[in-house]
Amino acid sequence: MPRLRHLIDLEEFTPDEILQLLELAGEMEARVRYEKATQGGSPIVPLLPYRVMASLFWEPSTRTRLSFETAMIRLGGSVVGFAETSTSSVAKGESLADTIRMSAHYTDCIVLRHPNDGAAYLASKFSTVAVLNGGDGGHLHPSQTLLDLYTIYKEFGNLSGLRVGLCGDLLHGRTTHSLAIALAAFDSECVAISPEELELPRHITTHLTVRYRKTVEQRRELAGGLDDIHVLYMTRIQRERFEDPLVYERVAHVYRLDRRIMDDAPADMIVMHPLPRLDEIAVEVDTDSRARYFEQAFNGVPARMALILVLMGHTRLDGERGANWREPTIFEGECSNRRCITHHDDNATPEFYEYSPGRLACRYCDRVREQLTLY
Ligand code: NCD
C-alpha cells in the first residue's frame, strides 16, 4: 500500500519530483489532444474509472474548481461537492474537520479551497484520502504553482536561472507565495514589484533566505524596469483580504500593464497571471504575442491531471520520497496570524516546527513565531 500523500504545499515535492510531475502533465496534455483530434468528441483518458473526487469550495473560484473537476472527469472519474457553502451543512455551522471526515468516507480524494490560512493542513489531519490544497486563505496555492511552472517550463525548457518579476498584491496573493518558494528551489530569482503595503510577507522572505539563501529584490515601479525579466507574473489586488478598506483604496489601481510598457519590455519576456484579472493588465495586451495567461489557465487541466494521478497512487514517481522537513515538535502556544485556522476551528490544536535552530513557525500557516518560548 503506498503511503497516503497530500498536496498542502508544493515544497513537499522535491525538484526532481516536480519535474516528473511536469513530464506527466505533458503526457496528459498530449493524450487529451490526441483523443480530441481522433475521437472528435469529449476526450477521456480513463486511468481512474469510477473514482470520485470531492470538490469542496468555501471560497469563490472559476479556474481552480473547473479545471480540477475537468481533470478528474477526463481521467474517467466523477466529482461531487459544493461550490458555495450555502448549499452544504457548512451553512449550519459544521466544522471543517467534520466535513472532511464525511467526504473522506464518500470519496477517493478531496480538493478544497478555504478562506483561512492553514485550512488544508487541518483537513489533511482528518482525512483518510489524499487532500489537495486548492488555495488556503492568503497562504499557499500549490496546484496553481504546478501549472505556472508547467507554463514556464514549456516556454523556456527549464526552470533554473530565470528572473521572474512578481507584481501586485504579494502580501495576500497566495499564488505568488507558492511560486516564489518553488522558483527558489530551482535556483531561479524573484524580483518583487509591489507597493510598500503589499510586499511579500516576512515569513516568505525569511524562508527564502533561511532555506534557499535567496534574497528577493524589491521594486516599486513596473514601467521601465523589465529589461532583465524573463517572466512577468501579474496579480490582482485582493480586495477581500484587506482588513482596512482605506488601505485597499490607496493601492487598488497601482499597476497597469499596457501596450506602452510592453513596447519597452524584452521581446522574449512572457506575461503570466493566475487570473481573474481586474485592471492590472489592459485588454490591449491580450493580443501581444508575449501574453501567456490564457494558455496558462488551459494548462491547469493537464497539470491537475498529473497531480491527481500521483496523489491517488495511480502513478509512482521515480525515487519518490517527498520532502517533509516540517515535522511539528511543539504543541502549545498561539499563532500570531489572526487568519490562521487555529483561531477559527477548535479542531486546529497548536503545532509548531523548528524552521531554523531555535526559531519556530506555525505548522498550519508557516507564520514565524517571533517571541521564542522554546527553552
Ligand atoms: C488565484 C487565487 O484564487 O488565489 N486565482 C486562481 O486560483 N487562478 C488568484 C486570485 O484570486 O487573484
Side-chain angles (χ1 to χ4, degrees):
M1 256 301 264
R3 107 190 128 85
L4 180 60
R5 196 168 182 183
H6 306 286
L7 176 70
I8 309 303
D9 175 354
L10 199 58
E11 212 178 4
E12 287 151 4
F13 286 82
T14 61
D16 179 58
E17 290 173 359
I18 292 176
L19 289 174
Q20 291 184 58
L21 280 165
L22 299 183
E23 293 297 328
L24 187 56
E27 208 180 294
M28 289 304 114
E29 182 176 347
R31 285 185 68 170
V32 166
R33 281 189 196 281
Y34 174 80
E35 295 292 327
K36 220 172 205 165
T38 55
Q39 308 301 319
S42 191
I44 297 288
V45 184
L47 300 174
L48 295 173
Y50 311 116
R51 301 292 209 95
V52 181
M53 167 190 276
S55 167
L56 312 180
F57 279 69
W58 275 254
E59 262 196 346
S61 169
T62 301
R63 275 148 293 270
T64 303
R65 187 171 68 80
L66 297 191
S67 64
F68 257 124
E69 295 185 0
T70 304
M72 188 61 181
I73 293 165
R74 293 263 187 256
L75 289 168
S78 46
V79 182
V80 295
F82 52 81
E84 50 154 334
T85 51
S86 64
T87 56
S88 78
S89 284
V90 175
K92 301 180 191 166
E94 184 163 60
S95 70
L96 171 62
D98 287 355
T99 307
I100 295 296
R101 274 192 185 103
M102 295 308 112
S103 308
H105 285 296
Y106 298 153
T107 67
D108 305 303
C109 72
I110 297 174
V111 174
L112 94 153
R113 168 171 286 190
H114 196 277
N116 286 120
D117 302 12
Y121 176 65
L122 176 63
S124 72
K125 289 169 40 125
F126 288 90
S127 180
T128 48
V129 299
V131 167
L132 292 91
N133 181 5
D136 59 332
H139 183 216
L140 296 168
H141 197 344
S143 67
Q144 176 71 40
T145 297
L146 190 75
L147 75 91
D148 293 343
L149 295 179
Y150 184 51
T151 308
I152 297 171
Y153 191 66
K154 285 210 289 192
E155 191 71 32
F156 296 94
N158 73 74
L159 296 172
S160 303
L162 301 171
R163 279 175 76 78
V164 178
L166 303 174
C167 177
D169 188 348
L170 310 186
L171 177 65
H172 305 107
R174 53 195 172 196
T175 62
T176 62
H177 304 165
S178 291
L179 184 57
I181 293 169
L183 290 167
F186 282 98
D187 207 15
S188 279
E189 308 294 324
C190 276
V191 176
I193 309 163
S194 76
E196 197 178 346
E197 298 89 330
L198 301 181
E199 284 179 358
L200 276 175
R202 201 142 69 85
H203 69 274
I204 300 286
T205 48
T206 307
H207 183 60
L208 294 175
T209 315
V210 171
R211 195 163 150 82
Y212 298 102
R213 306 266 165 257
K214 293 272 180 212
T215 45
V216 176
E217 185 188 328
Q218 308 267 4
R219 293 185 192 166
R220 298 279 175 251
E221 297 299 322
L222 173 61
L226 298 173
D227 288 353
D228 56 348
I229 301 290
H230 298 99
V231 177
L232 177 61
Y233 192 95
M234 298 295 294
T235 62
R236 166 179 80 90
I237 309 293
Q238 311 233 323
R239 192 212 313 240
E240 71 277 22
R241 302 204 198 282
F242 279 76
E243 266 149 34
D244 182 349
L246 291 177
V247 178
Y248 171 73
E249 288 307 327
R250 210 163 52 228
V251 292
H253 309 289
V254 60
Y255 299 117
R256 183 175 165 82
L257 182 68
D258 57 14
R259 195 179 286 143
R260 191 178 48 84
I261 297 178
M262 288 302 286
D263 283 347
D264 286 340
D268 53 0
M269 180 194 85
I270 61 165
V271 180
M272 294 173 60
H273 191 309
L275 304 177
R277 102 177 112 176
L278 302 178
D279 58 358
E280 60 278 358
I281 301 182
V283 289
E284 66 197 23
V285 178
D286 295 358
T287 49
D288 190 296
S289 61
R290 294 163 288 182
R292 288 290 178 285
Y293 31 94
F294 295 122
E295 189 186 324
Q296 180 187 354
F298 298 140
N299 288 337
V301 173
R304 290 180 168 119
M305 286 172 85
L307 278 172
I308 294 169
L309 284 171
V310 169
L311 289 165
M312 291 193 63
H314 176 278
T315 307
R316 295 272 306 153
L317 301 174
D318 285 343
E320 185 170 346
R321 58 184 172 85
N324 186 12
W325 45 273
R326 295 193 296 179
E327 210 47 67
T329 52
I330 305 284
F331 299 91
E332 58 186 8
E334 196 174 304
C335 178
S336 59
N337 172 12
R338 301 310 301 176
R339 289 173 182 255
C340 177
I341 191 78
T342 51
H343 296 292
H344 301 270
D345 192 315
D346 291 344
N347 294 286
T349 50
E351 289 187 17
F352 293 90
Y353 65 93
E354 216 177 337
Y355 77 91
S356 73
R359 307 190 84 186
L360 296 178
C362 173
R363 179 61 186 92
Y364 296 84
C365 72
D366 295 306
R367 184 66 63 90
V368 173
R369 210 161 91 174
E370 301 297 349
Q371 289 309 318
L372 198 59
T373 50
L374 185 56
Y375 300 112

